[in-house]
Amino acid sequence: MTELITNQDLDPARLREAFGIFPTGVVAVAAEVDGLLVGLAASSFTSVSLDPPLVSFSISRTSKTWPDLRRSRHLGVTVLADHQSAVCRQLAGAPEHRFVGVPVRISDDGAVTLDGGLARFECTIHAEVEAGDHVVVLLRLHAVDQSDTSSPLVFHRSGFGKLAV
Ligand SMILES: Cc1cc2nc3c(=O)[nH]c(=O)nc-3n(C[C@H](O)[C@H](O)[C@H](O)COP(=O)(O)O)c2cc1C
């Protein structure tokens, strides 16, 4: 029988590097709260359930934006396209500059989605599950709109790439 080889060196830097081997897309999670656009970039987005329609993403417990964002009646989630890497970095940068020059749509319920994205979801918070230094946020979908005419932005090993078709 093969012996299971364990590696106990699970320090955060090493883990971050290992997690980065797994390629993901990137979404913008955003809303209008008290008249201001708030949001951030997230690569932890994933689909969860068709019935009921659920998706999830993980938010750091240190996030300064999440306490405001979660107050919105609806949240917008936009799947970013491969030409939106600069917008993505902007959405992870200084909060007061995140939406400067970024064309958005705002729904009646405050969900903010980005023009030029590949898919747009309008959501409410279904559940928040504490998970270590992050909170897993389950979002219930209320509307979906897709215009996937270009390719998705791919996040891999801390850098951006495109799908090779
Ligand atoms: C490509 C990319 C993916 C990211 N994914 C996540 C994520 O899944 N969860 C998260 O909490 N932060 C993620 N971040 C960081 C956030 O976008 C943001 O910078 C961070 O939450 C700090 O801002 P805040 O304090 O306003 O939340 C990501 C950043 C980048 C550039």
Side-chain angles (χ1 to χ4, degrees):
M1 203 173 110
T2 323
E3 216 177 304
L4 183 68
I5 299 167
T6 57
N7 179 346
Q8 296 302 315
D9 187 8
L10 300 179
D11 74 88
R14 193 187 173 107
L15 275 182
R16 191 188 295 270
E17 195 183 326
F19 289 171
I21 291 171
F22 184 65
T24 65
V26 191
V27 298
V29 185
E32 187 183 50
V33 180
D34 299 336
L36 295 174
L37 298 180
V38 289
L40 48 85
S43 57
S44 52
F45 173 85
T46 192
S47 55
V48 174
S49 164
L50 293 175
D51 185 16
L54 299 173
V55 298
S56 74
F57 77 104
S58 302
I59 183 74
S60 170
R61 287 167 61 109
T62 62
S63 171
K64 294 194 170 66
T65 299
W66 182 240
D68 285 331
L69 201 49
R70 68 188 295 286
R71 290 198 287 120
S72 180
R73 247 186 329 192
H74 280 189
L75 299 178
V77 172
T78 307
V79 177
L80 299 184
D82 60 7
H83 57 85
Q84 292 180 306
S85 57
V87 171
C88 179
R89 286 199 193 285
Q90 195 173 326
L91 285 168
E96 62 274 24
H97 296 136
R98 286 186 186 171
F99 293 92
V100 175
V102 179
V104 297
R105 291 177 219 179
I106 307 172
S107 78
D108 291 344
D109 290 303
V112 170
T113 52
L114 276 58
D115 292 354
L118 301 185
R120 285 166 288 276
F121 302 102
E122 196 166 330
C123 324
T124 50
I125 296 172
H126 179 79
E128 290 176 76
V129 183
E130 287 196 14
D133 57 13
H134 279 62
V135 175
V136 178
V137 184
L138 284 164
L139 297 172
R140 182 165 187 144
L141 304 184
H142 297 277
V144 56
D145 166 40
Q146 62 192 85
S147 49
D148 51 347
T149 46
S150 50
S151 294
L153 182 63
V154 175
F155 190 59
H156 183 230
R157 289 187 191 275
S158 308
F160 296 110
K162 300 178 182 202
L163 284 181
V165 183

